[in-house]
Amino acid sequence: MSPSPDLAQPIGGDAGASCAERANWIRRRSIQMVYEAKLGHPGGDLSSADILATLYFGAMRYDPSNPALPSRDRFVMSKGHCTGAFYSALAAAGYFPLEELSTYMQPLSRLNGHPNRKYLPGIETNTGPLGHGFPVAVGMAIAGSFEPDPFHVYVLVGDGELQEGSNWEAAMTAGHRRLSNLTLIVDRNHLQQGAATEDTVSLEPLADKWRAFGWTVEECDGHDIDGLVRVLAPGPHESGRPLCVIAETVKGKGVSFMEGQASWHHGVPDKEQYEQALRELGE
Amino acid sequence: MSGASETFDCRVAFAEALEELAEADPRVVAVVNDSVGSSKLGGFKKQFPDRLINVGIAEQNMVGVGAGLANGGRIPFVSGAACFLTARAMEQIKADLAYAGANVKLCGMSSGIAYGELGATHHSIEDVAWLRVMGDITILVPSDPWETREAVRAAAANEGPYFVRVSRLKVPNLPRPDGAEFRVGRAEELRAGEDMAILANGIMVHRALDAAEMLAREGVSARVVNMSSMSPIDEEAVLAAAETGAIVTAEEGSVRGGLGGAVAEIVATRSSCKLEILGFPGFLPTGSVEFLLGRHGLTAEGIADAARKVAG
């Protein structure tokens, strides 16, 4: 299936596009990828799109033509199932051709269901099993702290993912070591795959948990680009501590029938739903 | 050649080699789960305090942190008791290291049954089998202090994930010709022999040499091959051993999936060689190291008995 005409010439290639425009493009492209692959995690793709757009186009320092540049800021997609949005952001950032997005999950594609650093440039570590990305990000931040001008490390976790205990091991280490070049972002969409986090195993009081582990906390609207740009500026953080950004988001953001619905965690739209989704994301 | 009676704890050789590497290369760091003492890294900590990263008693985090350090250009040696390092962090080893090809060096201390009476929770007889099935992690089971040093150097020098199994059960330095070289993926013939072959690694190698000596007195010419490189394994050396018609494998690990399993995979489909696998059948009862080794034939006498059985 060929991409829709307006998606074939995406805004991702336009250096003048705003973060908001890029976020919307990531949403449209993610939905198209999930629709074509008949697989994926659209709910989380949509909740994380503004965060990803802000990181890649409003915060991080990197050079897609030199993905191994030692001084680059690092991003770890710990919620590795949301590859629709992640791959779209990487392609828009210039790590690989935009056309390759249409191979999502096809046989032998570099765009595996979960990201593999051996397959594609721009992927720092393999994720997919939850609770893996954050400890790796802590190791990166420690490596960065050895440098005279530390690079910054960002890690995006799902809120449900925080039920994995490995995260709290990493939180303790980062707090203890006062890793001020580390920013963890919680995509706080309040839903895990089957139900609300608070009805499954509650996370609240979430901000207090992070403070208790020695972190500073910023709570923000995860769909407000200006606010995200402000809290996601590369460090070092003045607090001398790692920063947790609790980004309040809506799962399925931007598509009316997906918003706030756990069923769209890994739901796949039919043709009618797909067309409606693109119409709603048209602006 | 030092006298065979003098024996050494290979953790000391591991720590000395790591200190030398760290001295020569600022990228080398150590990561521990509060295992500074049990990894013999007190000297490293004193010499390189900023490069000893203690993540606390948190093995999953420790392995992930290792992957992150490698991403940031460091060469991390992630060291802890083999039983906890492998079992607790298995998914991190799979996803963050093996699958991702991260340049992390896992060093499993006091592997096998070194913790003796402390019991099966603290034994690590499954580690080689668990890691071997992934295929994408180099596994080294050195046999003595010299080889432990060489294994640590090889891990530092070569890109990719490594697991080095470091025993604390004392072993002698093995007799080797001057200029002996350690090479990943190559078996080492320590004694020539044509009637049968003993394939061993780790602390079983010197016992295998003693067994061969006993067999020689009975007129049986037993080859002894050190299989310290478990993955990749030297298939040619295994097939050459199979040509003798009889193989005994001896390892301080499970009889399932380790050295014996690997040798069986090679010889079962490509030879009619007889094979006896010495190791542990599963979780072990309370007992000292020597008691447990003796109970399962992992002594020179036990190996010789097994050799008589297959070569007879």
PDB file of all heavy atoms in Angstrom, chain B residues 273-306:
ATOM      1  N   CYS B 273      31.308 -41.741  18.364  1.00  0.00           N
ATOM      2  CA  CYS B 273      32.117 -41.705  19.580  1.00  0.00           C
ATOM      3  C   CYS B 273      31.253 -41.976  20.813  1.00  0.00           C
ATOM      4  O   CYS B 273      30.110 -41.535  20.907  1.00  0.00           O
ATOM      5  CB  CYS B 273      32.736 -40.317  19.662  1.00  0.00           C
ATOM      6  SG  CYS B 273      33.634 -39.996  21.155  1.00  0.00           S
ATOM      7  N   LYS B 274      31.821 -42.710  21.764  1.00  0.00           N
ATOM      8  CA  LYS B 274      31.139 -42.894  23.049  1.00  0.00           C
ATOM      9  C   LYS B 274      31.407 -41.671  23.920  1.00  0.00           C
ATOM     10  O   LYS B 274      32.484 -41.065  23.841  1.00  0.00           O
ATOM     11  CB  LYS B 274      31.637 -44.168  23.737  1.00  0.00           C
ATOM     12  CG  LYS B 274      31.054 -45.430  23.094  1.00  0.00           C
ATOM     13  CD  LYS B 274      31.276 -46.657  23.956  1.00  0.00           C
ATOM     14  CE  LYS B 274      32.696 -47.178  23.783  1.00  0.00           C
ATOM     15  NZ  LYS B 274      32.943 -48.418  24.546  1.00  0.00           N
ATOM     16  N   LEU B 275      30.429 -41.330  24.738  1.00  0.00           N
ATOM     17  CA  LEU B 275      30.549 -40.095  25.518  1.00  0.00           C
ATOM     18  C   LEU B 275      30.036 -40.300  26.934  1.00  0.00           C
ATOM     19  O   LEU B 275      28.955 -40.868  27.136  1.00  0.00           O
ATOM     20  CB  LEU B 275      29.730 -38.983  24.830  1.00  0.00           C
ATOM     21  CG  LEU B 275      29.604 -37.638  25.548  1.00  0.00           C
ATOM     22  CD1 LEU B 275      30.961 -36.967  25.703  1.00  0.00           C
ATOM     23  CD2 LEU B 275      28.646 -36.723  24.773  1.00  0.00           C
ATOM     24  N   GLU B 276      30.827 -39.864  27.879  1.00  0.00           N
ATOM     25  CA  GLU B 276      30.406 -39.871  29.294  1.00  0.00           C
ATOM     26  C   GLU B 276      30.486 -38.424  29.783  1.00  0.00           C
ATOM     27  O   GLU B 276      31.504 -37.744  29.584  1.00  0.00           O
ATOM     28  CB  GLU B 276      31.364 -40.759  30.096  1.00  0.00           C
ATOM     29  CG  GLU B 276      30.940 -41.030  31.516  1.00  0.00           C
ATOM     30  CD  GLU B 276      29.783 -42.018  31.653  1.00  0.00           C
ATOM     31  OE1 GLU B 276      29.467 -42.753  30.664  1.00  0.00           O
ATOM     32  OE2 GLU B 276      29.183 -42.040  32.739  1.00  0.00           O
ATOM     33  N   ILE B 277      29.394 -37.938  30.384  1.00  0.00           N
ATOM     34  CA  ILE B 277      29.330 -36.542  30.823  1.00  0.00           C
ATOM     35  C   ILE B 277      29.381 -36.497  32.344  1.00  0.00           C
ATOM     36  O   ILE B 277      28.486 -37.033  33.018  1.00  0.00           O
ATOM     37  CB  ILE B 277      28.036 -35.864  30.313  1.00  0.00           C
ATOM     38  CG1 ILE B 277      28.040 -35.809  28.781  1.00  0.00           C
ATOM     39  CG2 ILE B 277      27.892 -34.459  30.896  1.00  0.00           C
ATOM     40  CD1 ILE B 277      26.725 -35.342  28.164  1.00  0.00           C
ATOM     41  N   LEU B 278      30.423 -35.869  32.866  1.00  0.00           N
ATOM     42  CA  LEU B 278      30.530 -35.705  34.319  1.00  0.00           C
ATOM     43  C   LEU B 278      30.154 -34.286  34.701  1.00  0.00           C
ATOM     44  O   LEU B 278      30.621 -33.311  34.107  1.00  0.00           O
ATOM     45  CB  LEU B 278      31.962 -35.990  34.784  1.00  0.00           C
ATOM     46  CG  LEU B 278      32.453 -37.425  34.644  1.00  0.00           C
ATOM     47  CD1 LEU B 278      33.901 -37.528  35.118  1.00  0.00           C
ATOM     48  CD2 LEU B 278      31.575 -38.382  35.450  1.00  0.00           C
ATOM     49  N   GLY B 279      29.290 -34.201  35.708  1.00  0.00           N
ATOM     50  CA  GLY B 279      28.831 -32.893  36.185  1.00  0.00           C
ATOM     51  C   GLY B 279      27.786 -33.130  37.262  1.00  0.00           C
ATOM     52  O   GLY B 279      27.707 -34.234  37.818  1.00  0.00           O
ATOM     53  N   PHE B 280      26.991 -32.138  37.512  1.00  0.00           N
ATOM     54  CA  PHE B 280      25.975 -32.256  38.564  1.00  0.00           C
ATOM     55  C   PHE B 280      24.603 -32.506  37.952  1.00  0.00           C
ATOM     56  O   PHE B 280      24.230 -31.866  36.971  1.00  0.00           O
ATOM     57  CB  PHE B 280      25.956 -30.988  39.409  1.00  0.00           C
ATOM     58  CG  PHE B 280      27.279 -30.692  40.059  1.00  0.00           C
ATOM     59  CD1 PHE B 280      28.017 -29.569  39.691  1.00  0.00           C
ATOM     60  CD2 PHE B 280      27.802 -31.546  41.028  1.00  0.00           C
ATOM     61  CE1 PHE B 280      29.239 -29.300  40.300  1.00  0.00           C
ATOM     62  CE2 PHE B 280      29.027 -31.281  41.628  1.00  0.00           C
ATOM     63  CZ  PHE B 280      29.745 -30.153  41.254  1.00  0.00           C
ATOM     64  N   PRO B 281      23.823 -33.412  38.581  1.00  0.00           N
ATOM     65  CA  PRO B 281      22.533 -33.775  38.005  1.00  0.00           C
ATOM     66  C   PRO B 281      21.444 -32.732  38.245  1.00  0.00           C
ATOM     67  O   PRO B 281      20.400 -32.771  37.609  1.00  0.00           O
ATOM     68  CB  PRO B 281      22.183 -35.075  38.739  1.00  0.00           C
ATOM     69  CG  PRO B 281      22.887 -34.971  40.053  1.00  0.00           C
ATOM     70  CD  PRO B 281      24.148 -34.206  39.777  1.00  0.00           C
ATOM     71  N   GLY B 282      21.654 -31.801  39.148  1.00  0.00           N
ATOM     72  CA  GLY B 282      20.614 -30.816  39.478  1.00  0.00           C
ATOM     73  C   GLY B 282      20.950 -30.165  40.793  1.00  0.00           C
ATOM     74  O   GLY B 282      22.127 -30.138  41.196  1.00  0.00           O
ATOM     75  N   PHE B 283      19.957 -29.637  41.483  1.00  0.00           N
ATOM     76  CA  PHE B 283      20.202 -28.997  42.780  1.00  0.00           C
ATOM     77  C   PHE B 283      20.894 -29.985  43.718  1.00  0.00           C
ATOM     78  O   PHE B 283      20.516 -31.154  43.792  1.00  0.00           O
ATOM     79  CB  PHE B 283      18.893 -28.521  43.407  1.00  0.00           C
ATOM     80  CG  PHE B 283      18.186 -27.477  42.579  1.00  0.00           C
ATOM     81  CD1 PHE B 283      16.845 -27.622  42.255  1.00  0.00           C
ATOM     82  CD2 PHE B 283      18.865 -26.357  42.111  1.00  0.00           C
ATOM     83  CE1 PHE B 283      16.191 -26.665  41.487  1.00  0.00           C
ATOM     84  CE2 PHE B 283      18.224 -25.392  41.346  1.00  0.00           C
ATOM     85  CZ  PHE B 283      16.874 -25.550  41.033  1.00  0.00           C
ATOM     86  N   LEU B 284      21.874 -29.501  44.423  1.00  0.00           N
ATOM     87  CA  LEU B 284      22.706 -30.385  45.231  1.00  0.00           C
ATOM     88  C   LEU B 284      22.338 -30.314  46.709  1.00  0.00           C
ATOM     89  O   LEU B 284      21.892 -29.281  47.200  1.00  0.00           O
ATOM     90  CB  LEU B 284      24.179 -29.999  45.057  1.00  0.00           C
ATOM     91  CG  LEU B 284      24.699 -30.133  43.611  1.00  0.00           C
ATOM     92  CD1 LEU B 284      26.127 -29.617  43.506  1.00  0.00           C
ATOM     93  CD2 LEU B 284      24.620 -31.576  43.136  1.00  0.00           C
ATOM     94  N   PRO B 285      22.548 -31.424  47.413  1.00  0.00           N
ATOM     95  CA  PRO B 285      22.286 -31.432  48.861  1.00  0.00           C
ATOM     96  C   PRO B 285      23.403 -30.688  49.610  1.00  0.00           C
ATOM     97  O   PRO B 285      24.394 -30.276  49.000  1.00  0.00           O
ATOM     98  CB  PRO B 285      22.311 -32.920  49.198  1.00  0.00           C
ATOM     99  CG  PRO B 285      23.248 -33.514  48.198  1.00  0.00           C
ATOM    100  CD  PRO B 285      23.063 -32.715  46.937  1.00  0.00           C
ATOM    101  N   THR B 286      23.203 -30.532  50.889  1.00  0.00           N
ATOM    102  CA  THR B 286      24.202 -29.872  51.721  1.00  0.00           C
ATOM    103  C   THR B 286      25.514 -30.644  51.688  1.00  0.00           C
ATOM    104  O   THR B 286      25.524 -31.870  51.771  1.00  0.00           O
ATOM    105  CB  THR B 286      23.704 -29.813  53.176  1.00  0.00           C
ATOM    106  OG1 THR B 286      22.373 -29.295  53.170  1.00  0.00           O
ATOM    107  CG2 THR B 286      24.595 -28.918  54.031  1.00  0.00           C
ATOM    108  N   GLY B 287      26.598 -29.901  51.569  1.00  0.00           N
ATOM    109  CA  GLY B 287      27.891 -30.574  51.600  1.00  0.00           C
ATOM    110  C   GLY B 287      29.010 -29.629  51.223  1.00  0.00           C
ATOM    111  O   GLY B 287      28.773 -28.608  50.565  1.00  0.00           O
ATOM    112  N   SER B 288      30.223 -29.992  51.639  1.00  0.00           N
ATOM    113  CA  SER B 288      31.374 -29.184  51.286  1.00  0.00           C
ATOM    114  C   SER B 288      31.675 -29.346  49.801  1.00  0.00           C
ATOM    115  O   SER B 288      31.180 -30.272  49.144  1.00  0.00           O
ATOM    116  CB  SER B 288      32.592 -29.637  52.093  1.00  0.00           C
ATOM    117  OG  SER B 288      32.972 -30.936  51.652  1.00  0.00           O
ATOM    118  N   VAL B 289      32.506 -28.451  49.288  1.00  0.00           N
ATOM    119  CA  VAL B 289      32.894 -28.525  47.885  1.00  0.00           C
ATOM    120  C   VAL B 289      33.496 -29.895  47.570  1.00  0.00           C
ATOM    121  O   VAL B 289      33.102 -30.554  46.595  1.00  0.00           O
ATOM    122  CB  VAL B 289      33.902 -27.401  47.558  1.00  0.00           C
ATOM    123  CG1 VAL B 289      34.530 -27.624  46.188  1.00  0.00           C
ATOM    124  CG2 VAL B 289      33.223 -26.033  47.614  1.00  0.00           C
ATOM    125  N   GLU B 290      34.443 -30.321  48.400  1.00  0.00           N
ATOM    126  CA  GLU B 290      35.118 -31.593  48.112  1.00  0.00           C
ATOM    127  C   GLU B 290      34.148 -32.768  48.189  1.00  0.00           C
ATOM    128  O   GLU B 290      34.200 -33.696  47.378  1.00  0.00           O
ATOM    129  CB  GLU B 290      36.314 -31.798  49.053  1.00  0.00           C
ATOM    130  CG  GLU B 290      37.485 -30.859  48.756  1.00  0.00           C
ATOM    131  CD  GLU B 290      37.942 -30.880  47.275  1.00  0.00           C
ATOM    132  OE1 GLU B 290      37.979 -31.967  46.666  1.00  0.00           O
ATOM    133  OE2 GLU B 290      38.234 -29.790  46.739  1.00  0.00           O
ATOM    134  N   PHE B 291      33.228 -32.699  49.177  1.00  0.00           N
ATOM    135  CA  PHE B 291      32.220 -33.756  49.298  1.00  0.00           C
ATOM    136  C   PHE B 291      31.379 -33.829  48.024  1.00  0.00           C
ATOM    137  O   PHE B 291      31.150 -34.905  47.454  1.00  0.00           O
ATOM    138  CB  PHE B 291      31.329 -33.503  50.515  1.00  0.00           C
ATOM    139  CG  PHE B 291      30.118 -34.392  50.558  1.00  0.00           C
ATOM    140  CD1 PHE B 291      30.206 -35.709  51.007  1.00  0.00           C
ATOM    141  CD2 PHE B 291      28.871 -33.923  50.118  1.00  0.00           C
ATOM    142  CE1 PHE B 291      29.078 -36.532  51.019  1.00  0.00           C
ATOM    143  CE2 PHE B 291      27.754 -34.737  50.130  1.00  0.00           C
ATOM    144  CZ  PHE B 291      27.856 -36.046  50.590  1.00  0.00           C
ATOM    145  N   LEU B 292      30.920 -32.664  47.556  1.00  0.00           N
ATOM    146  CA  LEU B 292      30.027 -32.636  46.394  1.00  0.00           C
ATOM    147  C   LEU B 292      30.751 -33.039  45.107  1.00  0.00           C
ATOM    148  O   LEU B 292      30.203 -33.761  44.274  1.00  0.00           O
ATOM    149  CB  LEU B 292      29.391 -31.241  46.245  1.00  0.00           C
ATOM    150  CG  LEU B 292      28.440 -30.852  47.379  1.00  0.00           C
ATOM    151  CD1 LEU B 292      28.040 -29.381  47.264  1.00  0.00           C
ATOM    152  CD2 LEU B 292      27.198 -31.746  47.418  1.00  0.00           C
ATOM    153  N   LEU B 293      31.987 -32.571  44.952  1.00  0.00           N
ATOM    154  CA  LEU B 293      32.764 -32.973  43.768  1.00  0.00           C
ATOM    155  C   LEU B 293      32.962 -34.481  43.771  1.00  0.00           C
ATOM    156  O   LEU B 293      32.768 -35.152  42.749  1.00  0.00           O
ATOM    157  CB  LEU B 293      34.123 -32.255  43.742  1.00  0.00           C
ATOM    158  CG  LEU B 293      34.129 -30.749  43.462  1.00  0.00           C
ATOM    159  CD1 LEU B 293      35.543 -30.185  43.627  1.00  0.00           C
ATOM    160  CD2 LEU B 293      33.604 -30.436  42.059  1.00  0.00           C
ATOM    161  N   GLY B 294      33.326 -35.027  44.931  1.00  0.00           N
ATOM    162  CA  GLY B 294      33.578 -36.463  45.040  1.00  0.00           C
ATOM    163  C   GLY B 294      32.336 -37.279  44.781  1.00  0.00           C
ATOM    164  O   GLY B 294      32.367 -38.323  44.097  1.00  0.00           O
ATOM    165  N   ARG B 295      31.206 -36.791  45.298  1.00  0.00           N
ATOM    166  CA  ARG B 295      29.941 -37.511  45.163  1.00  0.00           C
ATOM    167  C   ARG B 295      29.527 -37.675  43.696  1.00  0.00           C
ATOM    168  O   ARG B 295      28.821 -38.619  43.346  1.00  0.00           O
ATOM    169  CB  ARG B 295      28.876 -36.737  45.918  1.00  0.00           C
ATOM    170  CG  ARG B 295      27.574 -37.455  46.158  1.00  0.00           C
ATOM    171  CD  ARG B 295      26.783 -36.691  47.217  1.00  0.00           C
ATOM    172  NE  ARG B 295      25.656 -37.455  47.687  1.00  0.00           N
ATOM    173  CZ  ARG B 295      24.400 -37.247  47.271  1.00  0.00           C
ATOM    174  NH1 ARG B 295      24.146 -36.311  46.385  1.00  0.00           N
ATOM    175  NH2 ARG B 295      23.398 -37.978  47.748  1.00  0.00           N
ATOM    176  N   HIS B 296      29.963 -36.727  42.864  1.00  0.00           N
ATOM    177  CA  HIS B 296      29.545 -36.764  41.456  1.00  0.00           C
ATOM    178  C   HIS B 296      30.697 -37.076  40.499  1.00  0.00           C
ATOM    179  O   HIS B 296      30.621 -36.768  39.316  1.00  0.00           O
ATOM    180  CB  HIS B 296      28.846 -35.449  41.101  1.00  0.00           C
ATOM    181  CG  HIS B 296      27.577 -35.276  41.881  1.00  0.00           C
ATOM    182  ND1 HIS B 296      26.436 -35.975  41.590  1.00  0.00           N
ATOM    183  CD2 HIS B 296      27.305 -34.546  42.990  1.00  0.00           C
ATOM    184  CE1 HIS B 296      25.493 -35.663  42.464  1.00  0.00           C
ATOM    185  NE2 HIS B 296      25.989 -34.794  43.330  1.00  0.00           N
ATOM    186  N   GLY B 297      31.731 -37.674  41.048  1.00  0.00           N
ATOM    187  CA  GLY B 297      32.812 -38.159  40.186  1.00  0.00           C
ATOM    188  C   GLY B 297      33.689 -37.068  39.610  1.00  0.00           C
ATOM    189  O   GLY B 297      34.404 -37.295  38.626  1.00  0.00           O
ATOM    190  N   LEU B 298      33.642 -35.877  40.201  1.00  0.00           N
ATOM    191  CA  LEU B 298      34.425 -34.765  39.649  1.00  0.00           C
ATOM    192  C   LEU B 298      35.776 -34.657  40.365  1.00  0.00           C
ATOM    193  O   LEU B 298      36.170 -33.603  40.860  1.00  0.00           O
ATOM    194  CB  LEU B 298      33.618 -33.464  39.733  1.00  0.00           C
ATOM    195  CG  LEU B 298      32.382 -33.472  38.827  1.00  0.00           C
ATOM    196  CD1 LEU B 298      31.448 -32.319  39.165  1.00  0.00           C
ATOM    197  CD2 LEU B 298      32.769 -33.425  37.353  1.00  0.00           C
ATOM    198  N   THR B 299      36.477 -35.784  40.369  1.00  0.00           N
ATOM    199  CA  THR B 299      37.829 -35.874  40.939  1.00  0.00           C
ATOM    200  C   THR B 299      38.682 -36.601  39.918  1.00  0.00           C
ATOM    201  O   THR B 299      38.154 -37.171  38.950  1.00  0.00           O
ATOM    202  CB  THR B 299      37.810 -36.714  42.237  1.00  0.00           C
ATOM    203  OG1 THR B 299      37.279 -38.013  41.895  1.00  0.00           O
ATOM    204  CG2 THR B 299      36.935 -36.075  43.308  1.00  0.00           C
ATOM    205  N   ALA B 300      40.001 -36.601  40.145  1.00  0.00           N
ATOM    206  CA  ALA B 300      40.869 -37.340  39.217  1.00  0.00           C
ATOM    207  C   ALA B 300      40.443 -38.802  39.153  1.00  0.00           C
ATOM    208  O   ALA B 300      40.326 -39.384  38.057  1.00  0.00           O
ATOM    209  CB  ALA B 300      42.326 -37.215  39.667  1.00  0.00           C
ATOM    210  N   GLU B 301      40.138 -39.390  40.319  1.00  0.00           N
ATOM    211  CA  GLU B 301      39.718 -40.791  40.347  1.00  0.00           C
ATOM    212  C   GLU B 301      38.400 -40.982  39.594  1.00  0.00           C
ATOM    213  O   GLU B 301      38.218 -41.952  38.842  1.00  0.00           O
ATOM    214  CB  GLU B 301      39.533 -41.280  41.800  1.00  0.00           C
ATOM    215  CG  GLU B 301      40.806 -41.330  42.619  1.00  0.00           C
ATOM    216  CD  GLU B 301      41.299 -39.954  43.103  1.00  0.00           C
ATOM    217  OE1 GLU B 301      40.541 -38.959  42.965  1.00  0.00           O
ATOM    218  OE2 GLU B 301      42.437 -39.869  43.596  1.00  0.00           O
ATOM    219  N   GLY B 302      37.478 -40.058  39.815  1.00  0.00           N
ATOM    220  CA  GLY B 302      36.168 -40.149  39.157  1.00  0.00           C
ATOM    221  C   GLY B 302      36.285 -40.034  37.647  1.00  0.00           C
ATOM    222  O   GLY B 302      35.612 -40.752  36.895  1.00  0.00           O
ATOM    223  N   ILE B 303      37.140 -39.135  37.216  1.00  0.00           N
ATOM    224  CA  ILE B 303      37.332 -38.961  35.765  1.00  0.00           C
ATOM    225  C   ILE B 303      37.986 -40.219  35.182  1.00  0.00           C
ATOM    226  O   ILE B 303      37.582 -40.710  34.117  1.00  0.00           O
ATOM    227  CB  ILE B 303      38.190 -37.709  35.474  1.00  0.00           C
ATOM    228  CG1 ILE B 303      37.445 -36.438  35.907  1.00  0.00           C
ATOM    229  CG2 ILE B 303      38.540 -37.622  33.988  1.00  0.00           C
ATOM    230  CD1 ILE B 303      38.302 -35.182  35.923  1.00  0.00           C
ATOM    231  N   ALA B 304      38.960 -40.749  35.910  1.00  0.00           N
ATOM    232  CA  ALA B 304      39.631 -41.970  35.429  1.00  0.00           C
ATOM    233  C   ALA B 304      38.637 -43.131  35.359  1.00  0.00           C
ATOM    234  O   ALA B 304      38.655 -43.917  34.390  1.00  0.00           O
ATOM    235  CB  ALA B 304      40.809 -42.313  36.342  1.00  0.00           C
ATOM    236  N   ASP B 305      37.769 -43.238  36.341  1.00  0.00           N
ATOM    237  CA  ASP B 305      36.735 -44.291  36.311  1.00  0.00           C
ATOM    238  C   ASP B 305      35.860 -44.158  35.069  1.00  0.00           C
ATOM    239  O   ASP B 305      35.566 -45.147  34.381  1.00  0.00           O
ATOM    240  CB  ASP B 305      35.835 -44.185  37.552  1.00  0.00           C
ATOM    241  CG  ASP B 305      36.510 -44.756  38.791  1.00  0.00           C
ATOM    242  OD1 ASP B 305      37.556 -45.450  38.629  1.00  0.00           O
ATOM    243  OD2 ASP B 305      36.018 -44.502  39.912  1.00  0.00           O
ATOM    244  N   ALA B 306      35.435 -42.928  34.813  1.00  0.00           N
ATOM    245  CA  ALA B 306      34.572 -42.690  33.639  1.00  0.00           C
ATOM    246  C   ALA B 306      35.329 -43.023  32.358  1.00  0.00           C
ATOM    247  O   ALA B 306      34.755 -43.583  31.414  1.00  0.00           O
ATOM    248  CB  ALA B 306      34.103 -41.238  33.622  1.00  0.00           C
TER     249      ALA B 306
END
